[in-house]
Amino acid sequence: MNIYDIAKLADVSIATVSRVVNDSPKVSEKTKEKVLAVMEENHYTPNVFARGLGLNSMKTVGLVCPDVADAYMANAVAYLEKNLRGYGYDCILYCSGYEEEDKRQAVELILNKRIDALVLVGSNYAGEGDEDVTYIKDVAKQIPVFMINGYIEDDNIYCTIADDYQAVYDATEELIFSGRQRILFLSNSHSFSARQKLKGYEDALTTYKIPVREELKLYMENSIHTTRDELFLHRNLEFDSVIATEDGLAVGVLKYARARGIDVPGEISVVGYNNSELSISCEPELTTVDARGEILCRTAIDSMMALLGGETIKKKTTIKCHLIKRNTTDF
């Protein structure tokens, strides 16, 4: 029996249970009596987490991301740390890598650091294929779990996600309106975010009665030179436009086009993703989707502070993306 179970049985938030444990005056007598009755009935002994959430919070949040060498992850961690600091909270960062067992171990290790809440940065933590995410659900039975651009539906898990589906649907639609029919989809993963992007691409094609061709869906490493070289291996593949799930992939397409003397955007249009520094350091500058990482992170931390303060918050918040039109498209 833990604080999560008591909150569920008493039909209150975990922060409310914590306030009862700490004898906070912010809880009504009626609610306090109800919670205490549930605690007594279930022989519940408050632990350090229950006490920490209340008047004497540990003021520490755990952050786990796959790899801070990734520009998107590094920016997200910086945004999260800044917003946590604004609330007077410290953070502990673990980099887990991308393998399932490594992610599991990182989460277990950081949970031992007496944190108030856990933030998982990136859609890889929502599972790929048959990957088991039970370990995340187990953590949520002890402390609140917040996911940045990943989604798991379960108690005490709160997700802030970019609307990747709609962003790619809209970008694909723009390409179709500009006369493009053979749109190449490039991705480097099968994560939750990547799957949403793929669905947006496929649904847009289907809406406009354009065949979804399997040969026009390629998966490769998010590397500029690797993408360029892989496209040379597929040089007989006909396409008139590209949607890439990362800016690095899109810049690789531009390298390939230049090497082959293909005009951009005249012969092929190219759309990237994340509005990173890469998108403005190439020539021509890249049309890309801004997934609004700073807004995602700020929204997640604001929601976390509201929850730890005893408020009820939404389990899932979706942030609209922006398409930044530059010089690699002609729509």
Side-chain angles (χ1 to χ4, degrees):
M1 182 66 63
N2 54 43
I3 189 173
Y4 167 83
D5 299 316
I6 296 299
K8 190 170 185 178
L9 289 170
D11 195 26
V12 297
S13 70
I14 55 176
T16 297
V17 177
S18 178
R19 285 194 172 87
V20 171
V21 170
N22 288 281
D23 198 25
S24 169
K26 294 183 179 180
V27 183
S28 70
E29 283 302 317
K30 182 178 179 181
T31 300
K32 185 179 294 185
E33 289 174 6
K34 180 173 69 170
V35 173
L36 288 172
V38 172
M39 290 168 59
E40 183 176 356
E41 182 181 340
N42 291 276
H43 308 290
Y44 173 68
T45 302
N47 60 19
V48 67
F49 165 66
R51 298 188 185 281
L53 267 180
L55 302 177
N56 303 302
S57 169
M58 290 163 281
K59 293 283 188 178
T60 303
V61 171
L63 308 180
V64 179
C65 78
D67 185 1
V68 288
D70 179 276
Y72 176 86
M73 302 294 172
N75 286 334
V77 168
Y79 297 144
L80 290 166
E81 190 278 334
K82 177 182 177 182
N83 283 281
L84 284 167
R85 187 162 21 95
Y87 279 104
Y89 274 69
D90 291 326
C91 63
I92 300 172
L93 172 66
Y94 274 49
C95 294
S96 69
Y98 292 92
E99 297 300 320
E100 180 178 352
E101 185 56 32
D102 293 336
K103 290 187 286 187
R104 186 190 309 276
Q105 288 180 4
V107 169
E108 289 176 356
L109 285 170
I110 204 167
L111 188 61
N112 293 329
K113 300 298 182 181
R114 294 179 57 188
I115 54 178
D116 291 334
L118 174 66
V119 181
L120 300 174
V121 184
S123 59
N124 299 90
Y125 297 101
E128 298 186 40
D130 297 327
E131 185 173 316
D132 186 9
V133 295
T134 303
Y135 71 100
I136 294 175
K137 296 180 181 181
D138 288 342
V139 172
K141 294 177 181 178
Q142 303 175 61
I143 58 173
V145 174
F146 288 79
M147 303 191 72
I148 305 294
N149 217 28
Y151 182 65
I152 296 174
E153 186 175 357
D154 206 60
D155 292 328
N156 216 27
I157 299 178
Y158 305 90
C159 306
T160 307
I161 64 174
D163 196 351
D164 293 319
Y165 168 86
Q166 194 63 50
V168 173
Y169 184 101
D170 292 345
T172 305
E173 187 177 58
E174 291 270 21
L175 291 170
I176 293 169
F177 287 167
S178 68
R180 310 293 174 168
Q181 293 283 309
R182 296 185 62 87
I183 304 170
L184 178 63
F185 180 86
L186 289 184
S187 181
N188 68 318
S189 80
H190 299 278
S191 67
F192 170 81
S193 175
R195 295 195 303 270
Q196 293 302 301
K197 294 168 186 174
L198 176 60
K199 191 172 189 306
Y201 161 81
E202 292 177 335
D203 284 358
L205 292 177
T206 301
T207 297
Y208 293 96
K209 296 180 171 53
I210 298 172
V212 178
R213 299 178 173 89
E214 289 302 312
E215 71 271 18
L216 290 179
K217 293 185 286 186
L218 296 181
Y219 295 86
M220 58 189 65
E221 179 186 351
N222 182 25
S223 160
I224 293 172
H225 286 163
T226 299
T227 303
R228 177 200 61 192
D229 296 344
E230 284 282 335
L231 289 176
F232 268 108
L233 295 177
H234 292 84
R235 64 185 302 160
N236 293 325
L237 183 64
E238 294 183 14
F239 57 92
D240 55 22
S241 51
V242 179
I243 289 183
T245 61
E246 300 281 350
D247 284 340
L249 295 170
V251 174
V253 176
L254 298 183
K255 290 275 190 182
Y256 168 77
R258 173 164 290 189
R260 289 203 58 194
I262 298 171
D263 179 60
V264 177
E267 295 178 75
I268 63 169
S269 290
V270 182
V271 179
Y273 217 95
N274 283 333
N275 194 30
S276 67
E277 287 295 310
L278 288 176
S279 67
I280 56 173
S281 59
C282 57
E283 190 61 43
E285 292 189 1
L286 183 65
T287 294
T288 184
V289 174
D290 183 353
R292 305 179 75 197
E294 185 170 4
I295 303 299
L296 282 175
C297 295
R298 187 171 73 225
T299 300
I301 297 304
D302 287 348
S303 297
M304 178 189 296
M305 294 302 127
L307 179 71
L308 295 178
E311 298 179 31
T312 300
I313 65 171
K314 294 165 59 177
K315 299 293 295 296
K316 180 181 179 182
T317 302
T318 303
I319 304 298
K320 181 178 173 60
C321 301
H322 291 161
L323 181 63
I324 310 298
K325 299 179 182 180
R326 296 196 179 101
N327 301 324
T328 57
T329 53
D330 55 7
F331 48 68

